[in-house]
Amino acid sequence: MSFITLRTGVAVALSSLMISLACPAVSAAPSVNQDILVQKESEYPAWWKEAVFYQIYPRSFKDTNDDGIGDIRGIIEKLDYLKSLGIDAIWINPHYDSPNTDNGYDISNYRQIMKEYGTMEDFDNLVAEMKKRNMRLMIDVVINHTSDQHPWFIQSKSDKNNPYRDYYFWRDGKDNQPPNNYPSFFGGSAWQKDAKSGQYYLHYFARQQPDLNWDNPKVREDLYAMLRFWLDKGVSGMRFDTVATYSKIPGFPNLTSEQQKNFAEQYTMGPNIHRYIQEMNRKVLSWYDVATAGEIFGVPLDRSSQFFDRRRHELNMAFMFDLIRLDRDSNERWRHKSWSLSQFRQIISKMDVTVGKYGWNTFFLDNHDNPRAVSHFGDDRPQWREASAKALATITLTQRATPFIYQGSELGMTNYPFRQLNEFDDIEVKGFWQDYVQSGKVTATEFLDNVRLTSRDNSRTPFQWNDTLNAGFTRGKPWFHINPNYVEINAEREETREDSVLNYYKKMIQLRHHIPALVYGAYQDLNPQDNTVYAYTRTLGNERYLVVVNFKEYPVRYTLPANDAIEEVVIDTQQQAAAPHSTSLSLSPWQAGVYKLR
Ligand code: ISL
Ligand code: CA
């Protein structure tokens, strides 16, 4: 792992201290104060801690050959746009060959590019063009399951005695029922019966996504070789899809009805999960300068650090779901619940404590599996959309975690105004519909009222580049609806408007790049119970920064903690920011800012 140099003299000295400690000659030296050491180690710099990441959903980013589907050339075409935004690294959703039952999360060939996205030459060009611009590429690694069209599964299914049979989980049913009562994330049972052998295979997601058998060492070696293939191409980041579910519970006992309500958590309880991730680290990841992030959906906060505590040699960072799913139940994931700012900020504090001294986190308020941030945590009504999108940008870029900006959030793109079922594309919505509406458990109206707010499809509509036909995304027929608000919300328009959301993101990203305290500084929430103003400090050495965000659509007065005063306004979403030396702030609706404290 290589580290870039920190900007402050202090930190450079710390990192050289680390290097000298790592050297064997020093191990015989008299014992050092452990506490100080630990503190210094938490400031251990890494490029992926300082980088601002941008997530691209290639299918919806930019189409260059008029087939209505975004492609790799489209990403290359827009690299300069991303560079000017200040982006250092890009995570792309799966780019591999796939029948697209789950938009690329069902891979049929790990070493080929999805036909719709282009060719291997396009991919190599992308890596080269990014390198030229000093940007890094993180790919999505989907190895909990393959597509049912993957040659391994086709072999596996062909015959009980096929050498690939054991690449997946095949079990006999019980009284003509599935082997156990596991539900699938996308509705129905997690077991699918195969007519030929009469056995069932396991699929935590769609039946077209059979789960790989990680207990089989051959499976693991094949997957490791595949990872090396991409790392050798110059990929410098890997996002591990549903990483906590690789190891299954031996014997597949039935879930109790209590466990069934949170089956996602149960699926992360496999006894070998950490052994497998450590093995993957030892055999593959540790040999490369690669940033790794694990999607740990289902893992409760208090177990999450096991995945990224660097003393354990597993992964670097995690995508935790506690914050982004604070308004959902583990049980009916399509249903929307109300949430409060105090819940929001308390989750952030808990994550910060969990990450502690030995780990690192990511921070994101949307992605391809969740609604748009401004519609979810801000206010997407025309009057408040821009102000609240800027407020969320302020939060995202000032956390002690690596920020991930989802494509279009830098414009304040909103949820899509879905009206009826046939407007949705996502397999998850269709699965939920079967389980809840068709079974008669809830009415169509109740279901649609919720799914409109929670559906993954909200963030999958094409990127809004300009106000021409199809928002400039394609000259063909777009694969998915374009949000009708593209006439107003689009990149071209925001480039030219000084006070646009886009220009605010640019400034915030610059700040994060130039103020180490915003990356490494200690995080402290100033009023955990408060439901109106989110205020916290970031402290590194003698430097203290205050971040303040008004979460209300009315003006609020915020008083700084006793003995604190503003020394300098670093950035503010309002023209009329606080005067230096003030000890309180008059905040307009959704106002946000970063202030240096005296
Ligand atoms: O989004 C979810 C539920 O609403 C999660 O259950 C999600 O499926 C889970 O976080 C795993 O997500 C990842 O793997 C899935 C894929 O559909 C998602 O897009 C991906 O992010 C299966 O590969
Ligand atoms: Ca295309």
Side-chain angles (χ1 to χ4, degrees), residues 139-238:
I139 58 171
D140 213 317
V141 175
V142 189
I143 48 182
N144 175 73
H145 46 267
T146 67
S147 159
D148 63 348
Q149 302 304 309
H150 193 290
W152 295 340
F153 189 74
I154 294 173
Q155 292 278 330
S156 183
K157 195 177 164 178
S158 67
D159 191 294
K160 270 184 155 175
N161 299 315
N162 187 285
Y164 284 93
R165 187 71 170 178
D166 204 23
Y167 266 52
Y168 298 85
F169 293 101
W170 291 94
R171 295 291 183 274
D172 292 326
K174 290 192 176 130
D175 308 325
N176 218 15
Q177 292 294 314
N180 75 3
N181 63 2
Y182 277 16
S184 135
F185 283 110
F186 295 155
S189 165
W191 296 96
Q192 176 69 25
K193 189 170 183 176
D194 165 47
K196 190 163 177 208
S197 67
Q199 285 195 309
Y200 292 76
Y201 66 86
L202 180 71
H203 61 91
Y204 278 177
F205 295 89
R207 70 183 155 77
Q208 296 88 342
Q209 295 168 296
D211 279 53
L212 282 164
N213 176 7
W214 271 72
D215 300 329
N216 179 347
K218 283 202 207 125
V219 169
R220 304 204 300 273
E221 288 305 329
D222 277 352
L223 293 174
Y224 299 160
M226 180 275 288
L227 297 182
R228 290 185 201 104
F229 169 83
W230 291 102
L231 288 163
D232 289 337
K233 279 183 172 290
V235 156
S236 44
M238 289 187 159

Side-chain angles (χ1 to χ4, degrees), residues 57 91 93 102-103 105-106 140 142 144-145 185-186 205-206 209 239 241-242 264 295-298 321 325 328 333-334 367-370 426-428 432 454 456 460:
Y57 198 64
W91 154 32
N93 288 100
D102 185 20
N103 288 358
Y105 283 94
D106 46 327
D140 213 317
V142 189
N144 175 73
H145 46 267
F185 283 110
F186 295 155
F205 295 89
Q209 295 168 296
R239 177 256 189 197
D241 187 62
T242 185
E295 189 215 29
I296 54 169
F297 184 80
F321 281 71
R325 292 289 165 92
R328 311 272 193 98
R333 277 173 295 122
W334 51 272
N367 63 21
H368 66 294
D369 288 337
N370 289 284
D426 187 14
I427 183 169
E428 190 187 63
F432 286 149
T454 60
R456 315 198 294 181
R460 299 181 177 183

Side-chain angles (χ1 to χ4, degrees), residues 56-128:
I56 291 183
Y57 198 64
R59 196 173 195 73
S60 292
F61 193 55
K62 174 71 183 149
D63 175 25
T64 57
N65 66 346
D66 305 346
D67 65 351
I69 299 175
D71 41 53
I72 294 175
R73 289 182 182 210
I75 301 176
I76 297 174
E77 195 180 297
K78 296 298 181 185
L79 286 178
D80 289 331
Y81 164 80
L82 297 174
K83 189 72 197 175
S84 81
L85 179 57
I87 299 303
D88 306 293
I90 298 172
W91 154 32
I92 53 169
N93 288 100
H95 60 282
Y96 319 85
D97 204 15
S98 163
N100 283 305
T101 295
D102 185 20
N103 288 358
Y105 283 94
D106 46 327
I107 296 170
S108 50
N109 187 335
Y110 284 110
R111 295 175 195 234
Q112 240 167 47
I113 304 295
M114 192 190 295
K115 284 180 290 299
E116 295 87 332
Y117 290 177
T119 62
M120 192 60 87
E121 199 188 337
D122 292 336
F123 183 89
D124 292 337
N125 280 339
L126 173 65
V127 175

